[in-house]
Amino acid sequence: SFPIRKSIELVYGFRNFIGNANKFANSKIFITIKSDSELSEIIIEDDGKGYPKDIISKIGEPYLKVSKSTDKSKRGLGLGIFIGKTLLEKNFATLSFRNSESIGGAEVTIRWKNKDLFNL
């Protein structure tokens, strides 16, 4: 274990990305936590359809429609991702978005330099 100060921004950011994975997964989500002497990261993946290829580079921008699904529960304007990303970045995280190479669904990687993470 390592000391990280309780932060509503971190909680909301994690909850947002875990909630999205749950929302878009077919049946499974995967959360991987990795840490070494320099970096710590959390990888959140789902086994859903993944991000449309034409918007991956724009994920995290506000008012970006990620899904044209007829299911209203799986549509949105991208504000949750934008807000979660902004809150985590405010706490020195870097985020990357891609489609998972192993599972095929969406993948979010949240990464910190340990010197930043442990000093929050």
Side-chain angles (χ1 to χ4, degrees), residues 97-113:
F97 303 89
R98 69 179 194 161
N99 288 325
S100 171
E101 293 176 1
S102 58
I103 304 166
E107 177 181 309
V108 178
T109 300
I110 306 163
R111 181 177 294 118
W112 289 268
K113 292 179 182 175

Side-chain angles (χ1 to χ4, degrees), residues 50-70:
Y51 300 116
K53 292 184 185 349
D54 58 330
I55 65 156
I56 287 181
S57 65
K58 297 176 185 172
I59 292 175
E61 294 179 11
Y63 303 107
L64 176 67
K65 269 204 168 169
V66 175
S67 177
K68 296 178 183 175
S69 175
T70 56

